[in-house]
Amino acid sequence: MSPLFELHERPELDSPVLIIATDGWIDAGMAAKLALGQVLDRFEDGTIATFDTDDLLDHRARRPTVHIIEGVNTALSWPSLELLAGTDQHGSDVVLLAGAEPDHRWRAFSDAVVDLALEMGVRLVLGLGAYPAPTPHTRPSKLASTATTRELAEAVGFIGGAIDVPGGVQAAIERRCADVGLPAVGLWAQVPHYAAGMPYPAAAISLLDGLEAVGGLRFDPGDLVEDAASTRERLDQLISANREHQDMVEQLEREWDARAASQSAAGDGPLPTGDELAAEVERFLREQEG
């Protein structure tokens, strides 16, 4: 069986953070994709390794793009999966895993990613994602976490109680990190469930803030701030045109404010229990598959 990746270089890195941002999984509001766009500006020509997408991907699900000029098939652009090296705005070393989420060999892929991380001296692994939640667009986008330890989960906030949802390859890498004692945190932005199918830049900004708060990494949000304001204005207009939608948002606001007041009084604590959130995630996935 062929190796899962080709190693191009072994860069000298100083305690880097590994960011995982693969596509093809839960990314409500395209928050992780939008955040990744800002991160990638710092990763020009820094390819460490390329993974074998012929081995890892189902090309019937992720078909290559055929470039046709005057009826001639001139080239194909294939889906990629790469490990890149770069820096944040402070010059801190960062490693980025970006590209298509594998369809096959998740265990072997997770082992390979974590082995490479250990070889490069990675100190922390941070995953990016977003899910639809019963939260209003008129309030800040919050983060929830999955993590390898309770202490790490508490640093961000987490969904209280027990919750069972389908997992992505990020979860498999996170579990492998736990096996070898490498700290890992999944940063999950909460996107209003009624805005989950459209770009939601406020959640992307929240993910970038999470990278800074948990990993000490700073990336310029760029146009996301202006885009978030435009999206807020657009949603305000849409909601104001429908009394039923206004009532829904007002109810979500009351619930959000009550939770915020409760957490403020008790100090940092877990986010609400996960029954509603699990239902929203499962509905979102069904819609994507449809």
Side-chain angles (χ1 to χ4, degrees):
M1 188 172 294
S2 62
L4 284 182
F5 62 88
E6 179 183 356
L7 188 65
H8 301 288
E9 63 172 325
R10 296 181 183 272
E12 293 292 332
L13 303 173
D14 183 14
S15 300
V17 173
L18 169 60
I19 299 174
I20 301 173
T22 57
D23 59 33
W25 185 228
I26 300 176
D27 189 18
M30 297 191 298
K33 182 177 182 178
L34 293 172
L36 176 62
Q38 301 305 121
V39 172
L40 278 173
D41 287 343
R42 308 284 307 184
F43 284 79
E44 294 182 3
D45 302 324
T47 303
I48 299 172
T50 53
F51 288 87
D52 184 358
T53 52
D54 270 353
D55 200 13
L56 292 171
L57 299 185
D58 177 357
H59 289 303
R60 292 171 300 178
R62 292 180 177 84
R63 297 180 184 273
T65 300
V66 185
H67 303 284
I68 302 172
I69 300 177
E70 300 294 337
V72 178
N73 180 344
T74 60
L76 272 73
S77 295
W78 295 89
S80 64
L81 183 56
E82 298 180 318
L83 199 64
L84 308 169
T87 61
D88 74 343
Q89 286 183 255
H90 301 311
S92 299
D93 286 334
V94 185
V95 178
L96 175 66
L97 176 65
E101 181 187 52
D103 296 302
H104 312 294
R105 302 189 64 191
W106 279 21
R107 292 185 181 90
F109 175 73
S110 300
D111 288 347
V113 170
V114 174
D115 287 347
L116 284 168
L118 293 174
E119 288 181 18
M120 291 182 291
V122 166
R123 63 180 173 87
L124 175 67
V125 177
L126 296 176
L128 302 181
Y131 63 92
T135 186
H137 73 281
T138 54
R139 299 292 186 269
S141 179
K142 287 193 172 185
L143 294 180
S145 68
T146 56
T148 50
T149 67
R150 175 65 179 264
E151 290 75 19
L152 286 171
E154 288 176 342
V156 179
F158 55 92
I159 305 303
I163 179 171
D164 296 321
V165 295
V169 79
Q170 180 179 312
I173 295 173
E174 196 173 286
R175 279 305 311 158
R176 182 57 185 156
C177 286
D179 292 341
V180 301
L182 178 59
V185 180
L187 301 174
W188 296 92
Q190 297 181 341
V191 176
H193 61 85
Y194 51 87
M198 61 185 288
Y200 195 72
I205 295 172
S206 182
L207 288 173
L208 294 178
D209 290 342
L211 290 177
E212 184 170 16
V214 181
L217 303 177
R218 175 63 183 170
F219 293 98
D220 185 359
D223 293 338
L224 290 177
V225 175
E226 183 177 345
D227 292 343
S230 298
T231 300
R232 164 69 187 268
E233 182 178 352
R234 179 185 175 193
L235 285 170
D236 284 344
Q237 293 173 349
L238 291 172
I239 296 298
S240 65
N242 186 297
R243 183 65 247 180
E244 183 179 345
H245 293 166
Q246 291 179 45
D247 292 342
M248 174 194 68
V249 171
E250 289 171 2
Q251 177 62 27
L252 293 174
E253 288 174 339
R254 289 191 291 270
E255 294 171 356
W256 195 100
D257 292 341
R259 291 196 299 266
S262 176
Q263 291 176 6
S264 177
D268 292 337
L271 297 170
T273 56
D275 290 344
E276 286 184 314
L277 300 179
E280 288 293 347
V281 169
E282 290 171 356
R283 181 177 62 82
F284 180 74
L285 289 175
R286 287 195 299 271
E287 291 175 354
Q288 300 305 301
E289 291 170 355

